[in-house]
Amino acid sequence: MTTAKNLPQVRNITRAMRTIMLTDDVSVSQGVTWYNRARAHAALLDPNNVSRAAGILAALSPLNSWPQNMRLASEVYAGNRSIGYMSNGANKAYRIFDGEAPLDVLSGNKVRSFYLNIIGDDSVETVTVDRHAVDIACGRVCNDKVRSHWTGGKRYWLTAQMYVRAAQIINSEFNTEFTGAQIQAITWVWWRKNKAQANHGGDEFGA
């Protein structure tokens, strides 16, 4: 079975992390706290049921920026039943709001992992692998065909393992305690600011 241990993609992630650790404290601080801040936002939406709010945020995440994601989740909590009419993500968000368990509703490895990361699950299987995470692992901006290769089926979990392995290497070198999910978030913040074709800029929480 293929493992992440010696894959060149792991070296690309660790190379990016070394650059960030030595030159970009802002990306480190923003990335290492990203999921904590997402969880805090979920708690603001639903203080009595953070898991429900996290599920709604995850359901609405595909094809939405994080600011749009937060806005749409707020609309759900405001009672707006017309967001994304006939949208699969919106329908799932309403189902979760109405009481269904998030993991009974959410589908797709990335969306389910995003939910789990928001609620604080940093286990091996819960690294959120999006298009930027694939690009970072490949060391370049990829096309959708390449990205789908690394996010489909069992390949998703291999890519997640790459970030876990990169965390082990970086922790050994820098005496840190990053999880795979934090490595993903740190490199994600840095990549979007510096490498992505569409320069999104800044931190999407406004920090």
Side-chain angles (χ1 to χ4, degrees):
M1 185 177 75
T2 302
T3 65
K5 185 174 183 179
N6 297 312
L7 288 176
Q9 288 81 8
V10 174
R11 292 194 290 275
N12 288 332
I13 298 167
T14 55
R15 185 180 299 115
M17 272 300 301
R18 290 185 190 103
T19 298
I20 297 165
M21 293 292 288
L22 296 172
T23 66
D24 192 351
D25 289 344
V26 172
S27 288
V28 174
S29 62
Q30 290 177 346
V32 79
T33 61
W34 202 97
Y35 288 110
N36 290 337
R37 289 180 290 156
R39 185 160 59 256
H41 182 74
L44 286 175
L45 285 172
D46 199 333
N48 297 317
N49 195 337
V50 176
S51 177
R52 177 169 70 170
I56 289 168
L57 287 163
L60 295 168
S61 64
L63 303 180
N64 283 317
S65 67
W66 180 243
Q68 177 77 345
N69 199 167
M70 292 189 289
R71 185 188 70 78
L72 291 174
S74 297
E75 290 288 323
V76 171
Y77 274 90
N80 184 349
R81 289 274 167 166
S82 63
I83 66 164
Y85 182 67
M86 296 302 288
S87 160
N88 188 42
N91 288 338
K92 289 179 179 180
Y94 296 135
R95 288 171 59 191
I96 294 169
F97 183 78
D98 289 338
E100 291 188 55
L103 288 178
D104 289 342
V105 176
L106 299 173
S107 60
N109 293 327
K110 183 257 183 182
V111 172
R112 290 169 66 87
S113 294
F114 190 48
Y115 161 73
L116 290 168
N117 285 153
I118 292 174
I119 64 171
D121 186 335
D122 283 341
S123 66
V124 170
E125 288 81 12
T126 55
V127 175
T128 300
V129 179
D130 68 354
R131 62 192 178 97
H132 294 309
V134 173
D135 289 357
I136 293 159
C138 291
R140 59 186 174 86
V141 176
C142 301
N143 59 38
D144 288 342
K145 182 177 180 181
V146 172
R147 291 168 180 152
S148 65
H149 171 78
W150 289 106
T151 57
K154 293 181 179 179
R155 283 275 173 175
Y156 183 96
W157 307 117
L158 178 60
T159 308
Q161 283 277 349
M162 293 173 191
Y163 279 87
V164 174
R165 177 57 181 156
Q168 294 168 348
I169 295 169
I170 293 299
N171 288 340
S172 177
E173 292 181 9
F174 289 90
N175 195 30
T176 50
E177 296 182 353
F178 297 132
T179 65
Q182 288 173 328
I183 294 289
Q184 175 267 317
I186 293 166
T187 54
W188 182 89
V189 169
W190 172 78
W191 184 267
R192 292 173 75 261
K193 287 192 296 185
N194 297 289
K195 300 291 186 178
Q197 284 181 327
N199 191 329
H200 303 271
D203 177 276
E204 290 191 310
F205 281 99

